[in-house]
Amino acid sequence: RADVLLNDVRPHCREQYAAAFLNNVWNEVEPRPSQSPQLLKNKVLVDSQQVIAQGYLMQHVENRKKWKECYFVMKASYHLEYYETKE
């Protein structure tokens, strides 16, 4: 199965490699001073305990096959906590 999948991808990889190689040679022959790095900028780190969202949501209770309202808190680490009430 892997060989079949790789055979489908190989022509595209060869084309991309050739384009990247020629681009690298071009940059060595004619350096472009205004060329910016292609790396993404990092986001500012926030405290993982900082609350980014909170409120009420509807939760499906599987054993009762009903919906109930509960209070949720989402931290900056994207950890979702939910409670019976806001208190």
Side-chain angles (χ1 to χ4, degrees), residues 56-73:
Y56 290 94
L57 57 79
M58 297 299 287
Q59 179 188 23
H60 186 256
V61 182
E62 199 58 43
N63 57 359
R64 289 195 234 156
K65 300 195 184 295
K66 291 185 177 182
W67 291 87
K68 71 174 188 174
E69 187 176 67
C70 61
Y71 188 78
F72 79 94
V73 176

Side-chain angles (χ1 to χ4, degrees), residues 29-62:
V29 174
E30 293 182 29
R32 291 176 273 175
S34 63
Q35 185 178 5
S36 61
Q38 295 182 354
L39 299 175
L40 297 174
K41 295 182 180 179
N42 290 336
K43 292 182 178 181
V44 177
L45 295 176
V46 295
D47 179 22
S48 62
Q49 294 301 314
Q50 179 183 355
V51 175
I52 59 172
Q54 58 185 344
Y56 290 94
L57 57 79
M58 297 299 287
Q59 179 188 23
H60 186 256
V61 182
E62 199 58 43

